[in-house]
Amino acid sequence: MQKERMSRLYLITGFLGAGKTTFLKNFIRLFAGEKIQLIVNEFGQEGVDGVLLADLGAYLQEISGGSVFCSCRLDQFEKVLRQSADVAADVILVEASGLSDPTGVRKLFSQTDRFPHIDYRGAVCLIDAVRFPKLYATARTCQKQLAASDLAVVNKTDRASKEQLSETLTLIRGQRPDMPVIQTSFGAVDAGILDTLAKAQALPAGDMPLTADLTLRKLLVTIDPSIPPYDLQKFIEMFSEVTFRVKGFIQTSQGMYLADCVGNVVSLSPYEGEVPEGKAGRLVVLSGAGMPVAKRVREAAAWYPAYILDIS
């Protein structure tokens, strides 16, 4: 009887911009008719992905301000997991921060006395087929996310050249020759992924430490709602190349827009969904150590003094 009441938990990991949110929208449909608890973790203080996922019919909880696998948020994550017993979900889906180091996940869920209601089913690592070779060489977190996962989903294959895709697959197989790999675009997957994940050869549990995230620079940029979309686009373009991710809901002179930018690819599109109070008007800017992000953002802001209200 106790086994029937257990919640199957899946972890979705992958570096910033790999397409975790889009993948999750497809993945969650594989559990139609079941009660789902969704835990969304964002490194920045402003949760954007949670808003984008709020209409999926799942019991949604957000943990912001750090990785759930880092000491700064681990207690909160464990608290949410213990409380999930009251939710009695059939499936728990955890979208980890794109900057998290999840190598401690198996150690965490091996503590069956603390989480007797959770049946850990493994981790899926989303990989950007275009950017992965560069990120793999510069961001150690990418290697840790791959090490902690049971299945790699190479996404955005429609955008990748033959050479980029080949290099990405070579890097994955070089580190994890045991890991099954699925290639896709737009995060599209079918029910076969569950069988593949179930059969995947898991890493030994070991004593994997719970470690801190990749060293980051984090900025929060407050935007005046009178800014035209064109100026917002140009403002972000002036510093986007020295960032990992720029994301936020921004009220403009022409309505609400969603900024969702990866590297120097700036995406700005009208947003007609409901934005919770306090979520609009600020850009979350995430960048790595050694990138002159603060300087570049302030230089860009100097061109738009009427619209950039605060940088913190």
Side-chain angles (χ1 to χ4, degrees), residues 221-224 249-251 256 279-283:
V221 182
T222 305
I223 310 292
D224 189 276
F249 296 101
I250 305 298
Q251 180 66 45
M256 185 68 70
K279 294 292 186 181
R282 288 180 287 188
L283 289 173

Side-chain angles (χ1 to χ4, degrees), residues 38-258:
L38 184 57
I39 302 174
V40 177
N41 172 218
E42 296 218 46
F43 197 97
Q45 295 294 332
E46 298 293 303
V48 175
D49 286 352
V51 177
L52 299 177
L53 294 167
D55 61 348
L56 295 181
Y59 177 70
L60 174 66
Q61 291 176 287
E62 286 187 272
I63 301 176
S64 301
S67 164
V68 291
F69 299 109
C70 181
S71 58
C72 61
R73 285 294 177 269
L74 182 59
D75 288 348
Q76 185 178 353
F77 184 42
E78 292 186 355
K79 180 180 179 181
V80 169
L81 289 173
R82 288 192 294 271
Q83 292 174 341
S84 68
D86 298 328
V87 177
D90 298 304
V91 178
I92 300 174
L93 303 178
V94 179
E95 181 191 357
S97 160
L99 295 157
S100 66
D101 170 4
T103 48
V105 64
R106 287 183 180 78
K107 180 179 179 181
L108 180 65
F109 291 118
S110 67
Q111 304 172 52
T112 53
D113 56 326
R114 302 181 66 185
F115 307 108
H117 65 292
I118 290 179
D119 177 14
Y120 179 60
R121 293 295 183 95
V124 178
C125 184
L126 266 290
I127 291 172
D128 183 335
V130 177
R131 301 172 67 232
F132 187 72
K134 180 178 179 180
L135 291 172
Y136 190 84
T138 58
R140 194 160 57 101
T141 298
C142 286
Q143 301 174 30
K144 291 181 176 292
Q145 291 170 348
L146 198 58
S149 297
D150 303 295
L151 170 66
V153 174
V154 178
N155 195 29
K156 304 185 181 181
T157 56
D158 59 309
R159 301 183 188 177
S161 66
K162 183 178 180 181
E163 292 74 18
Q164 288 171 326
L165 180 57
S166 177
E167 186 176 0
T168 292
L169 295 174
T170 297
L171 288 170
I172 295 171
R173 289 165 182 159
Q175 179 181 338
R176 293 292 308 278
D178 61 308
M179 176 181 284
V181 177
I182 293 175
Q183 299 180 39
T184 190
S185 297
F186 306 102
V189 290
D190 58 31
I193 190 176
L194 298 178
D195 293 331
T196 302
L197 187 58
K199 296 174 183 177
Q201 180 181 354
L203 287 174
D207 290 324
M208 296 182 179
L210 295 169
T211 57
D213 282 331
L214 179 69
T215 300
L216 294 177
R217 295 183 184 277
K218 297 176 291 182
L219 289 177
L220 198 62
V221 182
T222 305
I223 310 292
D224 189 276
S226 65
I227 190 171
Y230 177 83
D231 289 343
L232 177 60
Q233 173 98 14
K234 292 302 179 183
F235 168 68
I236 298 173
E237 287 177 351
M238 293 179 71
F239 61 83
S240 62
E241 65 180 17
V242 295
T243 70
F244 286 136
R245 193 75 180 264
V246 181
K247 202 166 188 179
F249 296 101
I250 305 298
Q251 180 66 45
T252 74
S253 61
Q254 297 179 28
M256 185 68 70
Y257 275 71
L258 171 63

